[in-house]
Amino acid sequence: MNNIRVRFAPSPTGYLHIGGMRTALYNYLFARKMDGACILRIEDTDQNREVEGAAENLVKVLHELGIDFSESPIIGGKHAPYTQSERLELYTEHAQRLLNENKAYHCFCSPETLDQMRDEQQAKGEAMKYDRRCMSLSKEDVQSKLDAGTEHVIRLRMPDDRKFVFEDIVRGEVEIDADQSDDQVLIKSDGFPTYHLAAVVDDHYMEISHVIRGDEWLSSTPKHVWLYECFGWEAPKWVHLPLILNTDRSKLSKRMNDVAVESYFERGFLKEALINFVALLGWHAADDREFYSMDELCEAFSFERVSKSGAVFDQTKLIWMNGQYMRSLPLEEIAERAKRWFNEEDTKDESRYLKMVEAARQRCSLLPEIAEYAANFLSRTPLDEENQEMISSEDAKKVLEDMHNRIVDIDISDADSINQMTKDSIAATGIKGRHFYTPLRLALISQPQGPDLPTTLQIIGKDEALARMKRYF
Ligand code: GLU
């Protein structure tokens, strides 16, 4: 272990956003590659956004994805606690330090006053910013308001006329004018810190070497840089990850079903495909290779190949990639994960269940589709009009009758005899290819495509197969 320490610091809002998953993954990959530590910190200082059980859910989903942490609220660590609401004293103490050094000030403006200020600025076409009216209050004024219990916040005093210039590992040198930054609230009227103060204090004490987070935080970085300066601490290295965009290049939709990792699991996406796909949202290897396991990602990942421009989230590609993983992961693994979409009864005969899943996964992209396809083996599903017409032809009847009568006499557990029988039937009926196989499949599984005949017969069983064929001649 060296001194590379990174953190994923989600606010527990109820679900893991795809963008959050990417941030967590890049932190994890970088830490593993560098043999450093990856820390999970829960940033729950916004009491209004608090959702019961959200932090536990986050930990669970990240673990399901295979993103594990070296220190976290669950496993603890040398800088515990890792949940901000349990560290409040530390933030208050540091806000007090800034007040003492005149780097922060009390602000007693009510929400109404602030609204009015904003309206006036807007009407004048000015940038909306706190006008610092409380900065000039005398010490005595401040004290008497505090003594009277007047509601207040603590604001950071941002410098005037200052350009913040900092290095970002992805974006290079970034320059932002200080006058774009408001005098940030550090402690809210409920006594809780804002994200900005809490994150900087924690990143310092948790010895974070690299802050890796979404681009939406880039504009806040000057405030953080300034806080580091005020405290006299060395700032970590900055890494801002490109925005994730919809296919029309708008900012990724906020609709929960489209962005919650949990909903992708619900829809039957595989964690391997999700990890692989999300890793490629903003990063790619020199050779543009497409398939990576988590271990391979850890090997290959580097910030040099993270792009500055937005990464497009293309669901169609994710579905395609999931299909590839459905076919390439071990059959037993897929069968196990598909179980929750089956009736337990239908999975009990292990060898039959595996055959069914193997047949289905060749034709499916998502886990629940396996059960949908398998339904054709498990029960008689109706034919659509076009297939009904196809199976009613004279040739189809001839094939079905001939095959039916041959199947009666053979042992269907022996694939060779089924294949021999099929050849004989083709010779006897003079019907071959599509015209031979399609009616058989339609009769047996109501689908024009499917696995080979021995597999199909073995899954369905002899009596049921015969009965299904008999319906059509
Ligand atoms: N709590 C912030 C979030 O939910 C973390 C931002 C950061 O990584 O600094 O995005």
Side-chain angles (χ1 to χ4, degrees):
M1 198 73 80
N2 48 32
N3 53 5
I4 300 286
R5 291 175 56 83
V6 297
R7 86 305 193 264
F8 175 51
S11 301
T13 51
Y15 61 92
L16 178 61
H17 190 283
I18 284 284
M21 172 182 162
R22 196 224 10 215
T23 302
L25 179 63
Y26 284 14
N27 271 285
Y28 173 81
L29 294 176
F30 178 66
R32 268 194 56 189
K33 168 137 192 176
M34 306 302 286
D35 196 20
C38 185
I39 290 143
L40 175 67
R41 183 172 74 222
I42 300 293
E43 302 206 325
D44 60 346
T45 57
D46 191 347
Q47 296 290 294
N48 300 329
R49 288 171 71 202
E50 205 41 22
V51 178
E52 182 77 17
E56 291 74 10
N57 178 59
L58 269 174
V59 172
K60 185 174 138 254
V61 177
L62 289 163
H63 181 69
E64 254 170 63
L65 286 165
I67 301 177
D68 287 316
F69 298 91
S70 7
E71 296 161 40
S72 79
I74 308 293
I75 55 173
K78 60 177 173 174
H79 297 296
Y82 292 90
T83 302
Q84 288 188 327
S85 58
E86 295 167 28
R87 301 168 64 82
L88 298 177
E89 252 172 61
L90 188 67
Y91 314 126
T92 319
E93 208 180 281
H94 283 77
Q96 190 57 50
R97 183 169 145 190
L98 295 175
L99 284 172
N100 296 347
E101 294 171 12
N102 207 19
K103 291 168 179 162
Y105 61 95
H106 288 99
C107 167
F108 300 91
C109 292
S110 65
E112 296 73 39
T113 310
L114 293 174
D115 283 347
Q116 199 189 342
M117 192 185 302
R118 246 173 251 133
D119 290 347
E120 284 169 13
Q121 287 170 340
Q122 205 165 15
K124 285 192 229 150
E126 292 171 1
M128 286 184 278
K129 246 174 115 166
Y130 180 60
D131 68 5
R132 297 184 149 175
R133 63 183 71 173
C134 287
M135 200 161 92
S136 46
L137 290 176
S138 70
K139 264 201 173 115
E140 295 69 33
D141 267 355
V142 170
Q143 198 51 53
S144 69
K145 282 184 195 296
L146 290 177
D147 292 344
T150 317
E151 270 214 1
H152 63 276
V153 300
I154 298 174
R155 285 183 187 273
L156 176 66
R157 191 177 187 145
M158 286 300 284
D160 302 310
D161 304 326
R162 155 106 192 241
K163 263 191 188 5
F164 282 96
V165 182
F166 54 90
E167 265 312 296
D168 181 282
I169 294 185
V170 169
R171 311 187 68 94
E173 193 175 275
V174 179
E175 206 182 284
I176 302 178
D177 253 323
D179 58 323
Q180 286 181 29
S181 303
D182 216 348
D183 277 356
Q184 179 62 49
V185 173
L186 300 176
I187 300 280
K188 295 174 281 186
S189 56
D190 61 5
F192 275 71
T194 54
Y195 150 73
H196 304 278
L197 175 66
V200 165
V201 168
D202 285 346
D203 285 340
H204 171 70
Y205 286 106
M206 293 181 180
E207 301 175 89
I208 299 304
S209 61
H210 295 70
V211 165
I212 306 165
R213 60 185 174 196
D215 234 6
E216 65 271 27
W217 297 106
L218 187 68
S219 59
S220 298
T221 307
K223 295 175 190 168
H224 302 172
V225 170
W226 179 238
L227 275 169
Y228 278 97
E229 284 185 32
C230 289
F231 287 124
W233 298 333
E234 192 189 331
K237 298 204 164 29
W238 307 105
V239 185
H240 288 92
L241 307 174
L243 280 180
I244 304 183
L245 309 170
N246 293 312
T247 36
D248 63 2
R249 302 199 72 81
S250 58
K251 198 172 171 222
L252 187 61
S253 134
K254 280 212 181 343
R255 286 214 315 271
M256 196 172 115
N257 282 347
D258 298 334
V259 293
V261 174
E262 291 86 331
S263 83
Y264 284 88
F265 279 143
E266 276 310 302
R267 286 162 60 192
F269 283 91
L270 301 163
K271 65 172 184 208
E272 291 81 354
L274 275 173
I275 290 282
N276 192 152
F277 178 79
V278 167
L280 297 177
L281 289 177
W283 170 86
H284 64 100
D287 57 2
D288 272 332
R289 173 177 151 187
E290 230 159 4
F291 291 98
Y292 289 90
S293 67
M294 186 72 110
D295 287 344
E296 289 165 342
L297 283 171
C298 288
E299 270 293 296
F301 186 77
S302 77
F303 290 130
E304 282 84 69
R305 306 206 64 85
V306 170
S307 68
K308 291 197 213 17
S309 54
V312 173
F313 183 90
D314 179 358
Q315 277 227 26
T316 318
K317 183 166 176 206
L318 172 57
I319 293 172
W320 167 82
M321 186 169 263
N322 206 67
Q324 301 293 316
Y325 275 96
M326 293 265 279
R327 293 180 267 292
S328 65
L329 286 174
L331 173 61
E332 287 71 16
E333 193 59 53
I334 297 294
E336 191 50 43
R337 295 194 213 172
K339 268 190 182 154
R340 57 173 279 215
W341 282 278
F342 279 86
N343 289 327
E344 208 188 324
E345 205 43 45
D346 297 327
T347 64
K348 281 209 170 120
D349 178 342
E350 178 79 10
S351 120
R352 172 170 173 260
Y353 176 60
L354 285 178
K355 280 201 174 90
M356 217 153 48
V357 174
E358 176 59 30
R361 72 168 172 165
Q362 302 303 329
R363 296 162 184 86
C364 300
S365 301
L366 299 170
L367 285 170
E369 291 170 9
I370 291 191
E372 276 164 39
Y373 190 86
N376 297 310
F377 294 106
L378 293 165
S379 59
R380 305 174 188 187
T381 48
L383 289 177
D384 64 21
E385 214 174 299
E386 192 186 330
N387 287 326
Q388 184 64 47
E389 203 171 300
M390 164 96 192
I391 205 164
S392 310
S393 73
E394 282 315 308
D395 275 4
K397 284 186 183 158
K398 206 162 140 189
V399 169
L400 290 169
E401 183 169 5
D402 187 80
M403 280 293 275
H404 175 277
N405 296 340
R406 289 171 196 272
I407 292 172
V408 170
D409 294 328
I410 64 155
D411 170 9
I412 63 159
S413 67
D414 178 21
D416 288 344
S417 44
I418 296 178
N419 290 334
Q420 187 53 51
M421 168 192 76
T422 308
K423 274 189 202 142
D424 295 345
S425 177
I426 289 171
T429 58
I431 301 167
K432 54 181 196 264
R434 206 165 63 82
H435 298 286
F436 183 85
Y437 287 103
T438 308
L440 273 173
R441 292 215 168 91
L442 288 178
L444 292 168
I445 56 170
S446 311
Q447 295 290 319
Q449 262 118 37
D452 60 31
L453 201 53
T455 309
T456 307
L457 290 175
Q458 286 159 6
I459 296 174
I460 295 174
K462 186 161 167 171
D463 291 347
E464 175 64 12
L466 289 173
R468 288 189 190 185
M469 293 166 82
K470 187 93 184 115
R471 295 177 293 171
Y472 296 105
F473 62 86

